[in-house]
Amino acid sequence: MPPFGNTLSFLYKFLLSNKTKETCERFILGVAILSFVVHLLLIFINQFTPLFGDKSELLGNPIAAIYTPFSFILIYEVYLLIFYLPRSITTYIGKQYEIISLIIIRRLFKDLSNLQLSSDWFSIKGDLQFTYDITASVLLFYLLFWFYKLNNTRKKIAPQDEDAPTNIERFIQLKKVISVALVPILIILAAHTLGSWSLNTFFTGNQDLGSLKNVNNVFFDEFFTVLIIVDVVLLLVSFFYTDKFHKVIRNSGFVISTILIRLSFSVEGLINTVLIISAVVFGLLILMIHNTYEKNLKTY
């Protein structure tokens, strides 16, 4: 094996092995529990000494404390997305859908902490957002069920289904290279966005934690931009390994789905929810048609 192959193998086992995944899972779980306790303490302190602003969305209600551990769970989901990239493109896309679903669930906790029970429900922006988010979370959960069900069906149709049927090992190697590169990008991006957010919040006189345009988008809008680049690279490279029309369309459709998710971070309210649901529905339909196409090919 050439030196590059040895280096890649070492880095891949070090960063993305099953053992590393289990270690990350335990570490993230510990940090999530600790962060929940710290957030609760900050909320308690802020009740008596409003150090961070009286109207802070994240320090005004104990329910909002659930927001913080969910943020770390989401980081672990991002790691799982990278973990599954070399193993299956479809599972990798499914992880994208899981992440955006968890982002909405996390946002629900923030919505709940600011909910105003009133007869003017549909005229209050926060209550409307809660309505959008709780509806979207149920729909996404159901769509994810069908997406993975279709993915399992695909595996039964073609037990050796490959994302690139010719020279599959070379394509897998490329995906491993991308995965290994994504790990430090994830760490740097997470550290940079967290640092910038903390700086703007605590050290620039902006003491309202909820004053950012959308705290729920911190890190993930940039990360999904990176994913679009990754998806496009995989799509272009896949042309070297397969000329099957249905696979090209499937991979192209997944790129469009990722772009729709990224666009959702740039808008708020109902449009945000519609873009997210549309992205997952589009990916689900693409996979459904792909499976039907492949089943017909097996018949003839």
Side-chain angles (χ1 to χ4, degrees):
M1 183 180 291
F4 176 76
N6 290 329
T7 303
L8 175 63
S9 179
F10 170 77
L11 289 175
Y12 185 77
K13 289 180 180 178
F14 178 71
L15 297 173
L16 295 162
S17 66
N18 288 320
K19 183 178 180 180
T20 303
K21 180 171 77 71
E22 292 173 3
T23 301
C24 287
E25 184 177 357
R26 290 193 296 268
F27 175 76
I28 291 294
L29 180 60
V31 172
I33 294 172
L34 178 63
S35 69
F36 178 63
V37 174
V38 171
H39 197 157
L40 280 175
L41 288 174
L42 288 174
I43 291 173
F44 178 76
I45 293 171
N46 201 53
Q47 297 295 321
F48 299 95
T49 308
L51 300 175
F52 306 105
D54 295 328
K55 297 181 180 180
S56 172
E57 293 183 359
L58 296 179
L59 292 177
N61 191 309
I63 296 176
I66 308 174
Y67 188 94
T68 303
F70 250 83
S71 299
F72 289 102
I73 292 171
L74 274 165
I75 294 297
Y76 178 65
E77 282 290 324
V78 170
Y79 173 80
L80 288 180
L81 179 147
I82 298 172
F83 178 84
Y84 284 107
L85 172 58
R87 293 162 173 81
S88 169
I89 290 291
T90 311
T91 304
Y92 157 76
I93 295 297
K95 286 296 174 183
Q96 291 187 25
Y97 298 160
E98 286 184 20
I99 288 170
I100 196 63
S101 300
L102 286 173
I103 287 175
I104 290 182
I105 292 292
R106 182 182 67 166
R107 193 164 64 194
L108 267 174
F109 290 114
K110 186 161 71 73
D111 294 341
L112 279 168
S113 65
N114 297 288
L115 201 61
Q116 301 178 40
L117 299 177
S118 168
S119 58
D120 298 325
W121 182 282
F122 294 103
S123 63
I124 301 173
K125 183 179 178 181
D127 292 356
L128 271 177
Q129 187 62 57
F130 172 79
T131 304
Y132 300 149
D133 289 343
I134 200 167
T135 303
S137 61
V138 174
L139 285 174
L140 288 172
F141 193 27
Y142 185 69
L143 291 170
L144 269 169
F145 163 75
W146 279 106
F147 186 85
Y148 284 122
K149 185 178 179 66
L150 286 172
N151 190 35
N152 290 334
T153 302
R154 176 183 64 87
K155 293 176 181 177
K156 292 177 182 177
I157 294 171
Q160 296 181 342
D161 178 51
E162 300 125 347
D163 296 304
T166 307
N167 300 323
I168 182 63
E169 290 300 325
R170 291 175 59 188
F171 191 63
I172 291 175
Q173 285 294 104
L174 172 66
K175 291 195 289 183
K176 286 183 177 181
V177 170
I178 293 174
S179 297
V180 168
L182 278 176
V183 173
I185 290 174
L186 164 65
I187 295 172
I188 293 170
L189 193 58
H192 176 264
T193 53
L194 178 61
S196 299
W197 180 77
S198 300
L199 181 65
N200 290 331
T201 301
F202 297 107
F203 302 106
T204 61
N206 182 10
Q207 293 185 325
D208 184 0
L209 289 179
S211 64
L212 292 180
K213 180 179 179 182
N214 193 343
V215 70
N216 213 55
N217 295 349
V218 172
F219 170 76
F220 288 99
D221 50 355
E222 291 88 355
F223 184 72
F224 270 91
T225 301
V226 174
L227 289 187
I228 290 173
I229 297 172
V230 170
D231 290 354
V232 171
V233 169
L234 290 174
L235 171 64
L236 295 176
V237 173
S238 69
F239 283 101
F240 289 103
Y241 301 101
T242 182
D243 57 356
K244 290 186 177 181
F245 176 75
H246 65 293
K247 291 193 177 296
V248 171
I249 291 296
R250 183 198 64 174
N251 294 341
S252 302
F254 286 162
V255 174
I256 294 172
S257 181
T258 304
I259 293 173
L260 288 174
I261 292 175
R262 173 59 185 86
L263 288 174
S264 71
F265 290 111
S266 61
V267 293
E268 297 178 330
L270 182 60
I271 299 177
N272 170 270
T273 304
V274 169
L275 280 173
I276 292 171
I277 297 295
S278 299
V280 180
V281 168
F282 185 77
L284 180 66
L285 290 174
I286 285 291
L287 183 59
M288 184 185 302
I289 298 169
H290 168 272
N291 287 3
T292 304
Y293 203 109
E294 191 144 272
K295 184 177 181 180
N296 289 337
L297 288 178
K298 295 291 180 181
T299 303
Y300 293 106

